[in-house]
Amino acid sequence: MPTSSDPIKITRLPPPGPAVLSIPHSLLSSLTEPSLTLPIPPKDVPPLYLSALRVRIPVFVTEQRCSLEGELDADDARSWHWIAFDNDQPVATLRLVPVTAEVTGGVGQEGVVMEKEEHVGLPDKEGRDRRSEPYHGATGMWDGREPFIKIGRMATLASHRGRGIAQRLIEESLAWAATHGADLSSPGSEGVDSIPQWRGLVLSHAQKSVQEWWGKMGFEVDEGLGAWWEEGIEHVGMWRRVDAAVVVGEKRGGLQDDCNGSRDATKGV
């Protein structure tokens, strides 16, 4: 638990909007190493968002060798971001991707449903199928229809791992989510009225190397989603249910009564 003398402070950033998708490549390249200097953000880009990138890019791009071009995606613009600071320096971050009207179409690519026998990837040198996305559609742990949010882009700088900061980010972000379901719904192609009601279901596209750690955070692997590869890193899908207060005042727990609980998950926690 944090104390009054704890130097780690956690800040929440509302969805920063589409301006973040226009950040120049030159600025992103300047963030490949941890720095004490905050670059001047482009117009309409919140400085807090750059603070998150000052963690993500050194971890995912420099350390894990993921592509710089793939680090920012459309979800960044509409996600809620949490950033942990140590004496004003960003050291860890994650994001929560809201529900959309299309999200019930599939776990991987929103709005697309593919049967397992149709969803194949390119084989690796050993002949194993290396899918680029999880299987779509219902599994033994997800009915294929219930809306969910995604937790991801979680990263901690090497200098601050092993201190429980990532766990604090998860606990604080999901505690906030449990009482802010309306803030975690965003309009889909059919408009606001088509957004399904979020009942507390959370998905992580977890790196397989830290699957055990995510299990300790209350997430459970969904074998039905299979394993897939993002940026050369093997991932698995893991679910957790939070006790979310839904609009009508009802609360619902348990993931189909059998679940006690990315590049989206963290490298080094």
Side-chain angles (χ1 to χ4, degrees), residues 9-13 48 51-52 81-85 90 92-93 169:
K9 307 299 181 184
I10 296 177
T11 301
R12 182 179 68 251
L13 171 68
L48 273 176
S51 294
H81 302 260
W82 276 256
I83 306 100
F85 291 86
T93 187
L169 283 173

Side-chain angles (χ1 to χ4, degrees), residues 24 57 66 72 81 90 93 99 102 119 143 149 154 159 161 169 179 182 209 222 235 237 247 258 266 269:
I57 291 177
C66 298
L72 276 67
H81 302 260
T93 187
V99 173
E102 292 85 1
H119 195 179
D143 63 9
I149 63 174
M154 192 170 76
S159 59
R161 293 173 191 162
L169 283 173
T179 57
S209 62
D222 187 346
H235 285 68
V247 174
D258 64 356
T266 184
V269 293

Side-chain angles (χ1 to χ4, degrees), residues 134-148:
Y135 288 128
H136 298 260
T139 70
M141 295 178 64
W142 182 61
D143 63 9
R145 298 183 301 275
E146 182 179 354
F148 56 86

Side-chain angles (χ1 to χ4, degrees), residues 155-236:
T156 305
L157 293 181
S159 59
H160 283 72
R161 293 173 191 162
R163 295 172 53 178
I165 300 174
Q167 181 177 358
R168 280 183 58 186
L169 283 173
I170 288 178
E171 290 174 350
E172 291 199 20
S173 63
L174 293 185
W176 177 88
T179 57
H180 291 79
D183 293 314
L184 288 165
S185 297
S186 59
S189 61
E190 299 176 17
V192 175
D193 293 341
S194 66
I195 300 172
Q197 187 177 65
W198 182 63
R199 295 178 178 270
L201 191 56
V202 184
L203 174 67
S204 169
H205 285 185
Q207 293 182 10
K208 192 170 184 179
S209 62
V210 289
Q211 172 183 325
E212 182 178 349
W213 183 88
W214 279 94
K216 294 177 181 178
M217 298 300 106
F219 287 79
E220 184 172 336
V221 174
D222 187 346
E223 300 292 348
L225 296 180
W228 67 96
W229 298 77
E230 298 178 20
E231 298 277 358
I233 301 172
E234 190 172 12
H235 285 68
V236 294

Side-chain angles (χ1 to χ4, degrees), residues 2 13 22 28 40 63-64 72-73 76 78 91 157 161 172 174 176 179 182 195 198 201 255 260 264:
L13 171 68
S22 301
L28 298 178
I40 299 175
E63 188 175 341
Q64 294 191 356
L72 276 67
D73 60 17
D76 260 355
R78 64 188 188 88
V91 296
L157 293 181
R161 293 173 191 162
E172 291 199 20
L174 293 185
W176 177 88
T179 57
I195 300 172
W198 182 63
L201 191 56
L255 180 53
N260 58 17
D264 272 331

